[in-house]
Amino acid sequence: MLTVDSVSVSLGGERVLDAVSLSVAAGEVVAVFGPSGSGKSTLLRAVAGLVDVDSGRVLVDGVDVTAVPTHRRSVGMVFQDEQLFPHRDVAGNVSFGLEMAGVERGERDSRVSEVLSAVGLDGFGGRDVSTLSGGEAKRVALARSLAPRPTVLLADEPLTGLDADLHDRLAVEVRSVLRASGTTTLWVTHDRAEAELVADRSVSLLDLGARA
Ligand code: ADP
Ligand code: MG
């Protein structure tokens, strides 16, 4: 479903990713872990088309998208900083990608309820995002990224910064949400234990060809 084929990326004249190869099968959740600065975000940015690759290819669903712009790659992203839209309520945030995709109102509303329910936020649609707890905000960010059913979900440390208890609980919940929705996911984190909680398979970025 997702293939990263010998991708190299340099930033500021330094090689950050050196011929990194990785595949994620349809419906599989793969986590890549590595220390801060090892190139995790750069890997996701390369898959999303947010950074130019020096060489190598990215394939989504068998199609070479290396030269395809981000908005046409069918990838969804979720970040450590949730980046919720402050002027939209919870439902408005989750609905955003569906609006961009031109999904009509009725279908949007039912998809928003379905995804909010999947992340354990039934009845939160009308809430102002400034009133959410840290864990709730992360669930909303996850729901927003899942709503348009991306072919591949790219998750950049979306659980970092939570209290340990809540972190581990959410990691286990997220695993079941991703499994239940069959979402092909590439998840990156500095936290190896989190990688193992969330993913079907975890790999070290340093073993894949990142700079030390
Ligand atoms: P991680 O997400 O694993 O913490 P990053 O992918 O953000 O790592 O960064 C990998 C390396 O690339 C770091 O050394 C970082 O300083 C460097 N880097 C990131 N963005 C840029 C940039 N725009 N210009 C130069 N160097 C960058
Ligand atoms: Mg990062």
Side-chain angles (χ1 to χ4, degrees):
M1 185 58 68
L2 171 66
T3 302
V4 175
D5 176 22
S6 203
V7 163
S8 296
V9 175
S10 300
L11 295 172
E14 288 225 44
R15 174 74 41 118
V16 176
L17 301 177
D18 190 19
V20 169
S21 293
L22 166 77
S23 286
V24 186
E28 189 182 26
V29 180
V30 171
V32 170
F33 60 89
S36 176
S38 59
K40 301 180 299 294
S41 295
T42 303
L43 173 63
L44 293 192
R45 292 171 63 79
V47 171
L50 295 168
V51 67
D52 288 333
V53 304
D54 299 343
S55 57
R57 298 183 310 156
V58 175
L59 291 91
V60 174
D61 213 358
V63 176
D64 185 343
V65 298
T66 318
V68 170
T70 300
H71 65 278
R72 292 185 39 227
R73 290 194 184 195
S74 190
V75 296
M77 291 193 82
V78 57
F79 304 95
Q80 176 177 351
D81 165 8
E82 303 86 37
Q83 302 184 11
L84 298 178
F85 307 119
H87 302 301
R88 288 174 165 244
D89 62 13
V90 165
N93 269 271
V94 176
S95 169
F96 181 77
L98 301 169
E99 291 168 33
M100 295 295 105
V103 175
E104 62 161 71
R105 180 73 189 259
E107 195 181 329
R108 249 174 23 221
D109 290 350
S110 67
R111 179 66 180 152
V112 167
S113 312
E114 180 180 270
V115 182
L116 282 177
S117 173
V119 299
L121 291 180
D122 272 319
F124 275 68
R127 283 278 288 274
D128 187 314
V129 297
S130 67
T131 66
L132 299 172
S133 71
E136 287 161 355
K138 292 200 181 289
R139 289 170 204 260
V140 172
L142 182 68
R144 182 178 60 182
S145 65
L146 290 173
R149 297 190 170 86
T151 305
V152 176
L153 177 67
L154 304 173
D156 193 349
E157 311 214 38
L159 300 183
T160 298
L162 292 173
D163 296 345
D165 271 9
L166 178 57
H167 171 276
D168 290 0
R169 238 185 316 128
L170 252 186
V172 171
E173 276 179 35
V174 164
R175 178 194 177 90
S176 32
V177 170
L178 295 176
R179 281 271 181 93
S181 57
T183 306
T184 305
T185 305
L186 179 57
W187 181 285
V188 302
T189 175
H190 68 280
D191 179 349
R192 182 176 189 157
E194 174 188 300
E196 283 161 7
L197 277 179
V198 170
D200 301 317
R201 184 158 64 87
S202 327
V203 282
S204 160
L205 185 54
L206 299 182
D207 293 340
L208 288 177
R211 178 188 69 178

